[in-house]
């Protein structure tokens, strides 16, 4: 349905916004540059992975629906 496209964009923005917020917190409270870099890159990778998984689940629900019988 047409709701899937705005939902995918909204989920992408949610994870992007969350990653930016966590980056600001890490930059403010982690004093060592090495750990700051490691944590920021981990946040970016994890938020990207979570966004892609969310998109895949939306595509799965939109295309397949409840044909698998998981929600009986």
């Amino acid at each position: 349905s047409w709701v899937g496209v705005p939902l995918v964009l909204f989920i992408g923005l949610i994870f992007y916004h969350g990653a930016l917020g966590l980056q600001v917190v890490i930059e403010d409270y982690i004093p060592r540059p090495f750990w700051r870099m490691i944590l920021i890159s981990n946040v970016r990778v994890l938020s990207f992975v979570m966004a892609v998984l969310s998109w895949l689940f939306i595509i799965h629900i939109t295309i397949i629906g409840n044909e698998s019988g998981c929600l009986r």
Side-chain angles (χ1 to χ4, degrees), residues 6 14 16 19-21 28 34 39-40 48 50 52 55 58 64-65:
I14 286 173
Y16 180 69
L20 286 179
D28 287 345
F34 174 76
L39 289 172
I40 288 173
F48 178 74
M50 295 295 287
V52 169
W55 293 331
I58 290 172
I64 296 175

Side-chain angles (χ1 to χ4, degrees), residues 42-63:
N42 283 343
V43 164
R44 288 180 183 173
V45 168
L46 286 175
S47 67
F48 178 74
V49 168
M50 295 295 287
V52 169
L53 284 174
S54 299
W55 293 331
L56 290 174
F57 291 142
I58 290 172
I59 291 169
H60 177 75
I61 291 170
T62 303
I63 293 174

Side-chain angles (χ1 to χ4, degrees), residues 10-47:
F10 184 66
I11 286 176
L13 288 174
I14 286 173
F15 283 107
Y16 180 69
H17 180 74
L20 286 179
L22 285 172
Q23 179 178 340
V24 169
V25 171
I26 290 169
E27 288 172 349
D28 287 345
Y29 292 105
I30 304 298
R32 298 186 182 205
F34 174 76
W35 289 111
R36 193 178 325 152
M37 181 184 65
I38 295 295
L39 289 172
I40 288 173
S41 61
N42 283 343
V43 164
R44 288 180 183 173
V45 168
L46 286 175
S47 67

